[in-house]
Amino acid sequence: LTVAEYYPGHVSSAAGQPRVELAAELTAALGGNVGPWTRVLEEQPWTDPFRAIRANADAERELTAAVNAADLPAWLKQADQWVQSMHVPGHEPSAAERILWTAWRAFDTRLTRALARAREPARLPVQGGVLAFVDALNLCLVVDFRFIRDLPSLRVIDAIVAPRTVFDVLDAFLERPHETRTEIKGMLQSSHRLVWHRDVLVHIDRRAEPRVFGPSIDTLHLAEVLLSRYTFSPPENQPKRVLELGTGSGMLSASVLRNLPGVERLTGVEVDFASAVCTYRNWEINTLDRPDALERRAALVLGPFRPDLLAGSYDLVICNPPYIPEVPDAAAADLREGRRGAVAGLELLEQLLAISHLLVAPGGSLLLLVSSVTPRALVAAPDGFAAEWPWGDDGISVHFEVEDVFSRPAWLKRLVEAGGVSHSGAYYQHQLHAVWLTRTETR
Ligand SMILES: C[S@@+](CC[C@H](N)C(=O)[O-])C[C@H]1O[C@@H](n2cnc3c(N)ncnc32)[C@H](O)[C@@H]1O
């Protein structure tokens, strides 16, 4: 299965019938009525016009043929130049041109504003690169930005189809022509890592924050699952009280703050100091244009998750926990030295599942991400909960790229022997599983 098949982009219509994200608006636009398409893109910034186009092969062919491009990724690499032609006096754009123009404008405006918001808190350089994930994670756009006064101008320098890691850009680097390689190289040499997904921009300073986790492909998949369940519901049907355990870079919780207006209170817990600082900065970047969102709606706890302190009734608990079983001697050393890893050790997951009935309100949910390396029995639904595995039994295959594991060959060997990690060409791969645990008890 491809990632596209996992994310049909279903949205519930008023009649309760599922429909694909923006599909009806795109069809109307192709028929000449571009108004609804433009309106939704303006009013719902998390909606993804490229997803709608790529999900409809006929529409993609029709649109890109109208602008002489092979496909949407190819057009995106020239879109910044192409839009200039739309401003030529006397040019009467066709419906296809207007659709592509509004799609590019939606993308360009959102990312431009996000970078402008991030500039000061992240101390961004005048020029740099962002990885923008669109088409339900089927497309990673490598975007070059250059600030001219307060606003950056954007240019897509590469479009990586079906990325299996956030840094598939490294592979692209080897295959691309010289000019593209030079541009990607500049981006990779910067200590600023910027990742954008559904109107949320996350910044990590790799020099100052070398140990902050991700955002990795895991984080992005979890963000997509989370949003596809809630963003299209009216705010009154969204969870009111949300808890994220282990916020890392803050991408998931920033997405909750930015994209789920129905959330009244978000609590984040992070044990690692640098990660907590990074989380708070990314919360700021993504709420600067939402007055009060941070002060009124969010609280960040710096310290280890303490079930006794945090028990309460949350409508949604999100956790992308460390999910790799440790080798016993390393685990003992970590414990002795008070280390809690970002990826290794199952302690947080075990604690969380043991007290899930105290954390999750009746009818509420726990959203977890685990991997084929995580013992299945550990993630069995606790009493009073029903489990749903949205990616089926097989999960989603992604590259396994955990440096801590690669630096200890015995650990890697153990994971391979247990069947959780396997070879795939020059890489190791594993399978990710999102798990929804919904509390079925009514009280
Ligand atoms: C796999 S990372 C996920 C980060 C982020 N949620 C994401 O998806 O990108 C796990 C995070 O949990 C934090 N963590 C691990 N054990 C913890 C604990 N007992 N209490 C609070 N945070 C913890 C780690 O520092 C790390 O930032």
Side-chain angles (χ1 to χ4, degrees):
L1 285 180
T2 65
V3 175
E5 288 163 310
Y6 288 109
Y7 299 120
H10 279 162
V11 181
S12 288
S13 68
Q17 294 300 314
R19 62 184 178 87
V20 172
E21 179 177 349
L22 281 170
E25 289 81 358
L26 179 59
T27 307
L30 287 164
N33 179 11
V34 186
W37 164 262
T38 310
R39 214 168 23 255
V40 175
L41 291 181
E42 277 167 8
E43 288 170 3
Q44 302 181 356
W46 57 86
T47 50
D48 181 351
F50 304 140
R51 170 76 191 130
I53 296 170
R54 296 270 285 166
N56 179 340
D58 290 339
E60 181 176 1
R61 256 192 307 276
E62 186 180 331
L63 292 171
T64 50
V67 293
N68 297 320
D71 54 16
L72 195 75
W75 174 76
L76 281 164
K77 286 194 255 179
Q78 55 177 56
D80 65 305
Q81 290 301 314
W82 175 84
V83 285
Q84 317 267 346
S85 65
M86 297 293 282
H87 301 299
V88 172
H91 178 71
E92 277 299 327
S94 64
E97 285 178 316
R98 282 162 63 206
I99 292 169
L100 288 174
W101 185 19
T102 43
W104 172 259
R105 206 175 47 196
F107 171 72
D108 184 65
T109 311
R110 296 166 186 179
L111 185 50
T112 298
R113 288 187 183 153
L115 285 163
R117 285 195 305 272
R119 191 171 190 190
E120 230 181 85
R123 295 170 200 267
L124 291 185
V126 172
Q127 189 192 338
V130 189
L131 298 177
F133 286 81
V134 296
D135 183 21
L137 308 185
N138 282 296
L139 206 51
C140 169
L141 303 179
V142 184
V143 182
D144 172 85
F145 69 82
R146 271 156 223 249
F147 275 94
I148 300 157
R149 292 181 185 273
D150 296 337
L151 288 179
S153 71
L154 308 182
R155 192 165 52 89
V156 175
I157 53 177
D158 208 343
I160 300 161
V161 178
R164 294 210 300 166
T165 130
V166 168
F167 279 94
D168 256 9
V169 65
L170 289 172
D171 285 0
F173 176 71
L174 300 174
E175 296 160 6
R176 297 304 194 255
H178 182 77
E179 318 78 73
T180 316
R181 279 218 304 269
T182 308
E183 286 176 309
I184 297 180
K185 196 159 128 199
M187 192 185 132
L188 292 174
Q189 279 167 345
S190 164
S191 71
H192 296 274
R193 292 276 183 269
L194 288 156
V195 176
W196 185 86
H197 170 250
R198 292 215 184 249
D199 208 30
V200 171
L201 181 69
V202 165
H203 169 262
I204 295 189
D205 183 340
R206 273 286 165 242
R207 211 165 290 144
E209 302 164 334
R211 303 282 305 167
V212 174
F213 177 87
S216 72
I217 200 82
D218 303 25
T219 320
L220 292 167
H221 280 298
L222 206 48
E224 190 69 22
V225 168
L226 179 68
L227 293 188
S228 57
R229 173 160 296 196
Y230 294 118
T231 32
F232 298 97
S233 319
E236 59 273 20
N237 294 349
Q238 293 175 357
K240 301 275 169 291
R241 287 170 42 104
V242 178
L243 172 70
E244 190 193 4
L245 296 176
T247 52
S249 68
M251 179 164 230
L252 293 168
S253 36
S255 186
V256 167
L257 283 173
R258 185 159 187 84
N259 291 327
L260 299 183
V263 173
E264 290 168 2
R265 190 85 185 141
L266 167 82
T267 308
V269 183
E270 174 55 62
V271 68
D272 174 59
F273 181 75
S275 303
V277 170
C278 186
T279 291
Y280 197 78
R281 184 173 69 251
N282 284 313
W283 284 7
E284 253 189 318
I285 288 171
N286 290 287
T287 55
L288 277 173
D289 57 344
R290 305 278 157 95
D292 285 357
L294 207 48
E295 288 80 4
R296 277 197 310 110
R297 291 170 58 206
L300 182 59
V301 178
L302 171 59
F305 169 53
R306 286 264 308 268
D308 54 332
L309 291 185
L310 271 169
S313 288
Y314 294 94
D315 304 307
L316 173 66
V317 178
I318 307 163
C319 188
N320 177 8
Y323 53 54
I324 309 178
E326 281 186 294
V327 273
D329 55 340
D334 283 351
L335 208 62
R336 248 191 338 269
E337 287 155 35
R339 264 200 306 268
R340 282 187 180 81
V343 291
L346 303 172
E347 181 192 318
L348 181 62
L349 189 55
E350 282 167 342
Q351 276 184 350
L352 175 57
L353 288 168
I355 61 131
S356 45
H357 58 290
L358 295 177
L359 280 184
V360 180
S365 297
L366 174 59
L367 174 60
L368 292 173
L369 191 91
V370 292
S371 142
S372 43
V373 300
T374 319
R376 261 301 165 104
L378 197 77
V379 256
D383 283 349
F385 283 78
E388 193 190 326
W389 296 64
W391 303 327
D393 274 350
D394 294 341
I396 291 185
S397 285
V398 296
H399 288 167
F400 184 80
E401 45 180 10
V402 183
E403 285 162 28
D404 287 358
V405 173
F406 289 125
S407 64
R408 292 192 213 158
W411 192 6
L412 177 63
K413 187 163 170 265
R414 235 179 131 100
L415 296 175
V416 172
E417 280 169 2
V421 176
S422 55
H423 271 291
S424 161
Y427 298 95
Y428 285 96
Q429 67 172 19
H430 67 144
Q431 284 71 42
L432 297 179
H433 295 278
V435 192
W436 284 104
L437 296 174
T438 299
R439 190 161 167 205
T440 48
E441 292 163 334
T442 48
R443 29 174 287 164

